[in-house]
Amino acid sequence: MTRLRTASAGVPVWVPAAVLVLTVAQLAVAEWVPGIDRFADKAFGARLIAYPLLMLLTPALWWVVVRRRQATARPPWGAFTLVMLPFLVDVTGNSLDLYDALVWWDDLNHFANWLLLCGGLGLIICANLRMPWATVLIVTGLGAVLAIGWELGEWYTFIRHGTELDTAYEDTLGDEALGTAGALVAGLLVARLLGRARVADRATAP
């Protein structure tokens, strides 16, 4: 086990649990507390179901794939936290009305959230890859696919029948580009961190 994976597993379980609870709590307020205009027409009912499921998907898959093969493997709570954080950031941005108050908030979200999301996924998926370029390609490609899927989900849930349809094409292209760029940076960071961890492991090996 590399030092990087050990560090990721060293994050306590309450950290991703807190991220999940804070996200669900804000979604519940958005869906069930009436009279908050900034939550209107943004499909928070669908998000209340989809976000917790998506946040728990990676830990569930890890448990099925890894824990069954390695009963002593420690869950990478740090990586799980990175995967969950974009959902909390998105909901908090809506709660604080940042999407309407700051014109650059949406663009920053797509870049930074994909960096976090793909960084967490990369730490899990690419931990055993020995070629840095493969790590970068896998993380970037996965981020691009997820960016496309996210935009399709947004279109289906609230754009196609909402007020943003006229600007949806340009906005979608920009969001996909920013998400892919965030994934590329995540891939570069993960490849570098994994490489340094392996060097440190070899230096301390008996």
Side-chain angles (χ1 to χ4, degrees):
M1 180 179 292
T2 67
R3 291 176 182 267
L4 187 59
R5 186 182 290 182
T6 302
S8 179
V11 173
V13 64
W14 64 262
V15 176
V19 172
L20 178 64
V21 169
L22 289 171
T23 303
V24 173
Q26 291 184 82
L27 287 170
V29 170
E31 177 63 15
W32 290 317
V33 175
I36 305 178
D37 293 337
R38 60 182 174 271
F39 295 141
D41 301 321
K42 293 187 178 179
F44 274 94
R47 296 188 196 205
L48 183 58
I49 298 172
Y51 278 19
L53 292 176
L54 291 172
M55 294 171 79
L56 293 171
L57 179 61
T58 298
L61 289 176
W62 182 91
W63 209 271
V64 170
V65 175
V66 177
R67 195 59 181 267
R68 285 188 175 182
R69 297 178 180 177
Q70 304 175 28
T72 59
R74 297 176 62 190
W77 299 119
F80 293 160
T81 302
L82 290 176
V83 172
M84 293 180 176
L85 273 174
F87 298 95
L88 175 60
V89 172
D90 177 64
V91 176
T92 303
N94 279 287
S95 296
L96 299 177
D97 201 24
L98 296 179
Y99 285 98
D100 293 326
L102 302 173
V103 295
W104 45 264
W105 179 256
D106 183 65
D107 291 340
L108 176 63
N109 253 13
H110 279 278
F111 177 83
N113 282 348
W114 251 251
L115 194 158
L116 293 170
L117 173 68
C118 295
L121 292 175
L123 291 177
I124 297 170
I125 295 172
C126 301
N128 294 321
L129 286 181
R130 298 294 178 181
M131 296 172 289
W133 62 266
T135 295
V136 175
L137 286 180
I138 289 173
V139 174
T140 305
L142 179 60
V145 171
L146 291 175
I148 294 171
W150 183 268
E151 294 303 315
L152 288 173
E154 282 192 345
W155 177 84
Y156 183 80
T157 53
F158 63 88
I159 291 178
R160 62 188 177 128
H161 297 310
T163 59
E164 302 176 7
L165 190 58
D166 292 341
T167 60
Y169 179 73
E170 181 177 354
D171 185 65
T172 296
L173 289 178
D175 290 348
E176 289 175 349
L178 288 166
T180 303
L184 172 61
V185 174
L188 293 169
L189 290 174
V190 169
R192 181 173 178 80
L193 289 172
L194 287 173
R196 293 177 65 179
R198 293 191 185 98
V199 170
D201 282 343
R202 287 195 294 268
T204 58

